[in-house]
Structures are given as structure tokens and as C-alpha cells.
Amino acid sequence: MSDTASTRATRNTPDRRPLVSAPDLLSSLVPLLADWVPRQRWFAGKGRLVTGFSLLSATELLPCTGDGTAPGLLQLLVRAQQSAPPSRTPAGGDRYQLLLGVHPAPPPQLAPAVIGRPGGGPLRGRTVYDALLDSRLCGLLLERLRVPGRLGALRFCREPDAVIPSGLPGRPIAVEQSNSSIVYGDSFILKVFRRIEPGINPDLELPRALADAKCARVPAPAAWFESAAPDEGGEPTTLGVLQPFLPGSADGWQLALNALAVRADFTGSARALGHATAEVHTALAQTLPTTELRRPQLEVIAAQMTERLTATARAVPVLQPYRARLRTAFDALAAIGHDGRSWAAQRIHGDLHLGQTLRSADEGRWSLIDFEGEPARPLAERRRPQPAVRDVAAMLRSFDYAARSGPAGGDPWSLEWARRTRDAYCLGYAEAGGLDPRSAPELMRAYETDKAVYEVLYEARHRPDWLAVPMAAIRRLAAGGERAVGSDGAGPSRAAGPDGRG
Ligand SMILES: Nc1ncnc2c1ncn2[C@@H]1O[C@H](COP(=O)(O)OP(=O)(O)O)[C@@H](O)[C@H]1O
Ligand SMILES: [Mg+2]
């Protein structure tokens, strides 16, 4: 931030009532937000009416009610109240982070960012817009991250050895995603979390742990911002993370589709990706808590999977005929514990698919990104140690998604492509010190089945045209666990898989 901007941000005119404590701040914004928030890609409560908002905190990062023509910047944490919340929604509704620009008359190029003009309250007569579409306000956020310290309800933190140049131009990334990211001069990427759960976000926690462990497969966080006040559990709530940007890299989903389009082999890439995954798993197991899953824990996991299957078969009747057969996969998982065996659990990626991998242009080196875990699951569950094969099973499902999309998707050649790609990935994983997934058939089958069930529900709800993809895997998995790994080619997904996000 320029000197002027930083002075403006911290100065409080004595006779000016702080905007953030104005009682009608939120009520004046509600009509605008009720229309704008549900239309955002990151809004998780689609399909249910937003009945109101409540304000959790507000921080004026730049004054919003000044006389001049400089933009103001307001950070809000709000709860969105909705009709008929599903059981996963926290009491009172999901929390969201909003970054709002405020301007008496924004320049025409900001027209697509405009949210509206409050009819009353402290911002009356000004235009409120999406601050992350304004390069000037994106620049201000980066400046804040360069200078650690507290501001209002927020705390800005930086790794002591991180070098963050000033004045890098910021632009939002174009890809559809579940959060909002800004790229600064091809050097850094700031992910601003949108749906917020109290506590440390694994997308900060795990990459920091991996950086400590000297694992270079994940861009190491340089800075982040969080709530200044700890949550009920005594932890700050992570709100955004700045990481090095990997310029010129391509994501694994696109690379796999490119290979399929020209009928090219992908086994070399898949094997290298298996190496990268195993290296990350090994480092996570070395630095973060691990545990042994014994009979009671395995029973609970199997019961949760069975419950998801039952609920999904109720919601998506085409799954019903396969339910009993699929259930045997979960019974087999519980049986591991009955036999007195146990299984190692550790922190994992939690939402691994081709869209969460990047390959560098120069040396073809794979990195893994986006350690948030499956966004639909509660944070406490996402941060729990789990069998590492869950990530492997998820990646195998992604290969299946890739092989079954595109014009020739699902033809014999692409299914054979998926089978070879799966085998190469598992081989690479084992070569780099991971447990050979093929030596854990019960776990692989259970986790692949659970993932495919999740995909069925997602596709039935959001993209019925894609339902055939997980249903093909369901038929294979129901037909028998004996070749659950390495049969017709299932692999996970979400770059274009359930959730359709990257
Ligand atoms: N360090 C990075 N370098 C280059 N591109 C990145 C980096 N991190 C993320 N991206 C790009 O941003 C996209 C979204 O990032 P991701 O962390 O997966 O966000 P989301 O949680 O919204 O899915 C990725 O698919 C990738 O294209
Ligand atoms: Mg992602």
C-alpha cells in the first residue's frame, strides 16, 4: 500500500463514528447481499432461499466514508440464514467472508463488479462492489500481508523469511473455483476463503507443516490473514493464504484431457504424480499426528459410509439395485477391525483429484495444491487423521472421470488408458515409499465406493448428464471387490467431477 493508503487505513478521525459499529451497516447492505451472494460460485447453499444475514465482524481496511474519490475497503464476516438447512449446516447458517469495495462513483471498468447502492445506513449513496475485481484494492490486501500486524478484527501474518515485493499488480484468476484467488505479478497467489469455518484451515496448516518438513511438492505459504480473536477452540480462523505462484504450470485435469484427446499415453505422468503423492504423505506422517485405527474406529468409518450409501440410494433411486452389493465393501472394512488388525491413519490431502495437481512447464515436476479437504465436510472431520489410501482412491476416481469425459469418453481405448494410468500411479506411489495401494484391497474398495457414492449424489443433484460416469464405477464396484484396484479404470475427479470445481 502507498504511504497515503496505509495512513488512511489506520487513521480514525475523532468525531467520526467507526463505520463498523454503525448499527444499520448490515441492515442497509442486506437487500444487496440477498441478491448478490446466492449468485456467487462460492456460495454453498444454492437452491435454498436466503432469509437473512447476521454480522459476525466488520473491519474497515480502507475508510469507506471519506470525502475524496479513493475507494474504501470493507471486510465482513456474515452468516447467511437460509430456509430448510441441511443437517451439515452449522446452527444459524453458513459463515461467509465478503470483501467489499466502496466508492462514491466507481470507474466504468468496475461495472461488472457492482453489487449495488445501499438506500440507507452509513454507506448510503455510495456504490458497493466486489473488491477482488478491483486491482487497486487487491494491491492493498497484498500490502497488508507484507506488513504483519493487527487491524480491526483481523490479524495479518507473514513467515519471517518470506520476501514479498511491493506493488505487484493483482488480477483475479479466471477459473471457476470454490474460493476466490488473486494472482500477483505471476509471483504469488492469494486464496481468499469464502465459506468460513472457525479454526485453522488445513490449506494453511498442511502446507506450513510440509514446508517445515522441507517437502517441496507444495507451494509454501508466505503470509496469511486470520481472525484476531480466537474461536471457541482457542484457534484463530484462517481467512486467506498467500503462496508462491507456479507460473506456466498446467493442471493435471487439463493435461489428462489433452492426452486423451490425442490418444497419448499418460503413464509416465501418472507414475511421477504417484511419487509426488507419496512424498507428501510421508512428510505429513512425519510432522503431524498419526494414529492407529482399530476395531471401534474402523466400525465407525464403515458405519458412516453405509449411512451415506443408504441416504444416497434413497435420494437417487438408480443406485438402489446396487446398494446391498456395495455395502459389502463397507462390511469388509469393518471386518479388518474384527480380525484384530489395525490401520495407520495420518493427515492427508482429503480432496485429491487431477484438478488439484500442477505440473511445471520446464521440468514436468508435479506439485499438489488445495489442502482444504472436501468442502462439504465439517472442518473437524477434515482435520482428523485418515488412511492415506483415501487420497489414492480419490485420485484413481479422477482418472476414471477423465477417461469417461470428452467425445470418445468411455470407449474401450480410453478405459484401457484409465487402467494403465491407475496402475502407473499406484506403482509410482509405492516406489516413492508409499504403501502399495494394491496391498490394501479392502480399504481401496471401501474408499473408492464411498467416493463414487458421493459422486452419484453430486451429479444427480447438479449435473445429471454426468451421472453415467460414477454409475459405471458403481456397477464395477458392485460386481466384486476382487479387482477394485486396476480394473476398468476409475479415478477421481472434480476439476470436472462432482463439484465441478478445481
Ligand atoms: N500456487 C499456484 N500456482 C499456480 N496456479 C495455482 C496455484 N494455486 C492455485 N492455482 C490455480 O488456481 C486454481 C484454484 O486453486 P485452488 O487452491 O484449487 O482453489 P479452490 O479451493 O477454489 O479450488 C487451481 O486449479 C490452479 O489453476
Ligand atoms: Mg481446488
Side-chain angles (χ1 to χ4, degrees), residues 338-426:
H338 299 175
D339 295 346
R341 287 187 286 158
S342 64
W343 205 269
Q346 62 162 94
R347 297 298 299 274
I348 62 168
H349 182 284
D351 188 21
L352 196 59
H353 58 82
L354 281 162
Q356 313 275 41
T357 66
L358 292 173
R359 198 176 72 188
S360 70
D362 42 358
E363 43 186 0
R365 187 180 162 77
W366 287 103
S367 299
L368 305 190
I369 57 165
D370 194 358
F371 283 73
E372 265 192 280
E374 237 172 59
R377 303 203 188 201
L379 190 62
E381 187 183 323
R382 289 188 263 145
R383 290 178 70 190
R384 218 171 275 151
Q386 303 176 60
V389 291
R390 184 173 154 205
D391 278 348
V392 176
M395 185 58 88
L396 298 191
R397 293 282 320 116
S398 198
F399 298 140
D400 187 44
Y401 257 81
R404 290 179 185 277
S405 50
D411 71 4
W413 184 87
S414 24
L415 296 183
E416 175 59 15
W417 177 97
R419 194 195 59 73
R420 284 188 287 113
T421 303
R422 288 164 67 98
D423 283 351
Y425 178 75
C426 292

Side-chain angles (χ1 to χ4, degrees), residues 173 177-179 189 191 219 244-246 356 358 369-370 372 502:
I173 60 162
Q177 52 166 163
S178 48
N179 294 290
I189 180 165
K191 187 198 269 200
F245 184 71
L246 308 173
Q356 313 275 41
L358 292 173
I369 57 165
D370 194 358
E372 265 192 280

